[in-house]
Amino acid sequence: MRKKIVAGNWKMNKTLQEGIELVKELTTVLANEKPNCDVVICTPFIHLASVAPTLKGTVMELGAENCADKASGAYTGEVSAAMVASTGAKYVILGHSERRAYYHEHAELLRDKVQLALANGLTPIFCIGEVLEDREAGEQEEVVHEQISNSLFDFSPEDFAKIVLAYEPVWAIGTGKTATAEQAQEMHAFIRKAVATKYGKEIADNCSILYGGSCNPKNAKELFANPDVDGGLIGGAALKCADFKGVIDGFNA
Ligand code: 13P
């Protein structure tokens, strides 16, 4: 059956020392009370190599927030998927709406990034989600379908099966306005159906689809209780130990 995952996306927050401190706190609380899901910490590139050894022997896995669309070479300031993997990271967030909006990342570029991530043994957490105008126009399904199909539907079934999806409605990110459990379930079911139509029921049933957007300790349980919501991609609430643990506890009975 598909994995349940709670992944933290630190975005551009935390100095190295603050990050290490948070990981230490999480290590203690998660050792005392084992989570009922996989836990992933996605940090800025610069922290990866230092955070990796502190996660050894814990239940947490490491991820990056991005990687380059080129394998290597003269691309000043870029960080390749191979470099990310060489730190010990296992995951990489790709296609986050902030990358799409502020850094103009488009479908073909994201397809290249996913391909390089997979070639280097990383699990992409591929983000999709509509903006408020799309939802107000009732076009959320079309938008999300296009995002998935334009970047991911050229992959073989074997490769697609390695990808984790994250539905993050842009209007819910950092706004305190969460999608209702019903809205999340509706979209996740739609996404799973789209995957099933393209790759078949087995791959769709095994595909983890995370929800992201103002997910917090108060609403996590209700969101995660939906049959097609397999966990969360967490921004603000991933920055404090108690909050992140509270979200992880959304999977506790
Ligand atoms: P918030 O949880 O801060 O809304 O951010 C969600 C997100 O963008 C995770 O990638």
Side-chain angles (χ1 to χ4, degrees), residues 2-233:
R2 55 187 178 259
K3 278 187 179 179
K4 308 279 184 204
I5 304 169
V6 171
N9 175 8
W10 288 2
K11 307 193 179 185
M12 198 173 73
N13 293 295
K14 304 251 174 236
T15 62
L16 177 58
Q17 291 74 21
E18 289 165 351
I20 300 264
E21 196 47 46
L22 173 58
V23 167
K24 278 189 189 153
E25 287 178 66
L26 284 167
T27 301
T28 308
V29 296
L30 295 178
N32 290 341
E33 215 180 310
K34 266 204 163 294
N36 283 332
C37 60
D38 289 7
V39 178
V40 181
I41 309 280
C42 297
T43 81
F45 289 135
I46 189 97
H47 299 350
L48 291 172
S50 307
V51 168
T54 70
L55 293 183
K56 281 235 167 71
T58 74
V59 294
M60 293 175 275
E61 293 279 14
L62 185 61
E65 301 173 13
N66 185 23
C67 72
D69 62 320
K70 305 286 193 301
S72 67
Y75 301 102
T76 303
E78 287 294 290
V79 176
S80 71
M83 292 173 190
V84 169
S86 73
T87 66
K90 297 276 185 270
Y91 289 82
V92 59
I93 297 171
L94 291 173
H96 193 282
S97 63
E98 288 148 19
R99 302 286 328 164
R100 293 177 191 262
Y102 307 145
Y103 304 97
H104 315 295
E105 296 198 355
H106 52 82
E108 295 76 35
L109 174 118
L110 291 171
R111 186 181 54 208
D112 292 347
K113 290 188 177 201
V114 171
Q115 175 135 40
L116 285 162
L118 291 170
N120 285 282
L122 295 169
T123 299
I125 300 176
F126 190 81
C127 304
I128 49 191
E130 80 284 0
V131 298
L132 186 60
E133 297 86 85
D134 299 328
R135 178 150 289 258
E136 284 175 347
E139 286 167 1
Q140 61 272 19
E141 294 189 348
E142 288 86 336
V143 168
V144 162
H145 193 279
E146 212 166 89
Q147 289 171 336
I148 307 177
S149 60
N150 289 349
S151 291
L152 303 182
F153 279 2
D154 285 343
F155 288 105
S156 66
E158 294 71 30
D159 275 345
F160 185 87
K162 296 174 189 151
I163 298 169
V164 169
L165 297 176
Y167 170 61
E168 299 204 305
V170 179
W171 48 270
I173 296 178
T175 57
K177 228 196 226 175
T178 327
T180 62
E182 199 178 34
Q183 285 171 323
Q185 169 56 27
E186 209 172 77
M187 285 304 285
H188 283 229
F190 169 77
I191 293 163
R192 198 176 307 286
K193 207 168 113 209
V195 172
T197 303
K198 171 74 188 167
Y199 289 108
K201 188 174 181 319
E202 192 180 338
I203 286 184
D205 281 348
N206 285 317
C207 178
S208 297
I209 308 175
L210 315 184
Y211 168 81
S214 299
C215 185
N216 61 41
K218 288 207 179 83
N219 57 33
K221 192 173 178 155
E222 197 189 347
L223 285 162
F224 298 168
N226 290 289
D228 288 295
V229 178
D230 306 310
L233 182 56

